[in-house]
Amino acid sequence: MNRSTLIEQIKEKKSFLCVGLDTDIRKIPQHLLDLDDPIFEFNKQIIDATKDYCVAYKPNIAFYEAHGPKGWESLKKTIDYIPSTHFTIADAKRGDIGNTSGLYARAFFEEMNFDSITVAPYMGADSVTPFLEFEGKWVILLGLTSNPGAEDFQQLELVNGNKVYQEVISGSSKWGTKDNLMYVVGATRAEALADIREIIPDSFLLIPGVGAQGGSLEDVIKYGMNDDIGLLVNSTRGIIYADMSPSFAESAANEAKKIQQQMAAFL
Ligand SMILES: O=C(O)c1cc(=O)[nH]c(=O)n1[C@@H]1O[C@H](COP(=O)(O)O)[C@@H](O)[C@H]1O
């Protein structure tokens, strides 16, 4: 999906919500476990219930890989089921030497047909650019992450006065364009968003960490929104595990709708 279609979808749905599909077999309602593919059945019901309130879905690949070939099958069925109106993110956090990155890109963009993939920047330009060679596909580069470990390296100050994450964002922004490169910034780091917007005013940002991790949607909007909206805000556990009863999908829809209504007030 290209940038203008994504923006159109956001304006039409009055939402920039991304629903995470971190589907954990140990957490899904018991009655689904008797079905042939419980993970896919759960995702299908979540997608049906939430698709009017969100513009993107982000399966975290770990939750599928953990089940071996069957998990990959559940993932493929899920990605094929997501309506083409919705932006898809393979949350795989990949990145390796160039020829290997190229094969990761083929796996997620051609074999699985995702619109985008999360990529770790640590190995530098030649580990990221192979993902940028696919027409109409996106890299979502880890900028400043939501987890406590973001303090360990990302926030360290360099001799030029920049923090590591600022250097990563400004350096990498030359590898792609606002049409094929987005950044992850944790909602728990909203205080850094104004600075980040100075470096990349036009790029889309994927913001995880509202809901279960406690980030504030209001702060994300206040410091992170740009003229094209420029935000995809992800919530996973707060939506998909809102309720473990047989009516889990209805509860997920209610949670997604609540967030969508908060977003609509700013669109
Ligand atoms: O790349 C990500 O999506 C990501 C980056 C980050 O900094 N923090 C983060 O939580 N995530 C992912 O976003 C999702 C957050 O899930 P919830 O905390 O349940 O909303 C998980 O799939 C995480 O792997």
Side-chain angles (χ1 to χ4, degrees):
M1 181 182 294
N2 64 28
R3 182 187 170 93
S4 55
T5 309
L6 177 60
I7 296 168
E8 269 166 34
Q9 286 297 323
I10 291 173
K11 289 185 174 160
E12 196 180 306
K13 295 219 178 66
K14 295 195 184 311
S15 171
F16 44 93
L17 174 63
C18 171
V19 174
L21 296 172
D22 302 6
T23 305
D24 186 340
I25 195 103
R26 296 163 303 186
K27 285 194 183 170
I28 66 180
Q30 290 289 310
H31 71 281
L32 295 177
L33 298 180
D34 299 332
L35 301 171
D36 175 51
D37 189 344
I39 292 184
F40 173 63
E41 286 301 328
F42 179 82
N43 288 350
K44 187 169 172 285
Q45 292 193 44
I46 293 284
I47 293 162
D48 288 342
T50 57
K51 64 177 188 248
D52 291 343
Y53 308 118
C54 69
V55 290
Y57 288 100
K58 181 175 77 68
N60 185 315
I61 304 309
F63 289 79
Y64 302 85
E65 278 179 327
H67 299 284
K70 183 99 178 101
W72 282 102
E73 214 178 284
S74 308
L75 178 63
K76 177 72 177 140
K77 279 154 76 179
T78 300
I79 202 74
D80 289 346
Y81 190 74
I82 294 171
S84 60
T85 45
H86 288 63
F87 187 77
T88 52
I89 302 167
D91 186 5
K93 300 184 178 75
R94 298 296 149 107
D96 202 331
I97 60 168
N99 61 331
T100 310
S101 278
L103 286 171
Y104 278 138
R106 270 180 55 191
F108 288 101
F109 292 155
E110 290 182 345
E111 195 58 37
M112 304 297 277
N113 202 24
F114 277 96
D115 289 312
S116 67
I117 181 172
T118 55
V119 174
Y122 199 72
M123 288 178 74
D126 59 310
S127 73
V128 176
T129 48
F131 292 97
L132 291 163
E133 284 163 13
F134 289 72
E135 186 67 34
K137 304 288 183 178
W138 295 75
V139 164
I140 310 185
L141 204 68
L142 299 181
L144 180 57
T145 59
S146 66
N147 58 321
E151 313 273 342
D152 293 344
F153 304 121
Q154 296 168 29
Q155 308 259 29
L156 294 180
E157 202 170 304
L158 298 165
V159 279
N160 66 6
N162 275 350
K163 294 199 168 152
V164 168
Y165 78 86
Q166 291 170 324
E167 197 71 24
V168 165
I169 293 174
S170 65
S172 63
S173 64
K174 294 155 193 94
W175 304 340
T177 69
K178 65 180 178 151
D179 294 308
N180 67 358
L181 182 57
M182 301 189 189
Y183 288 88
V184 173
V185 180
T188 52
R189 313 279 167 199
E191 76 287 350
L193 273 169
D195 263 7
I196 290 173
R197 275 292 179 222
E198 297 270 308
I199 309 170
I200 40 164
D202 301 323
S203 305
F204 258 85
L205 304 177
L206 170 66
I207 313 261
V210 299
Q213 296 179 51
S216 150
L217 178 62
E218 286 74 17
D219 286 350
V220 166
I221 291 171
K222 185 167 164 201
Y223 299 112
M225 193 178 267
N226 66 15
D227 290 346
D228 287 333
I229 295 103
L231 297 172
L232 288 173
V233 172
N234 180 84
S235 176
T236 305
R237 288 166 291 178
I239 293 177
I240 70 172
Y241 302 131
D243 169 15
M244 289 300 92
S245 78
S247 58
F248 69 96
E250 203 181 316
S251 304
N254 289 338
E255 290 307 311
K257 187 175 179 183
K258 262 191 239 164
I259 301 178
Q260 183 271 327
Q261 286 177 341
Q262 278 174 278
M263 291 174 169
F266 295 88
L267 295 176

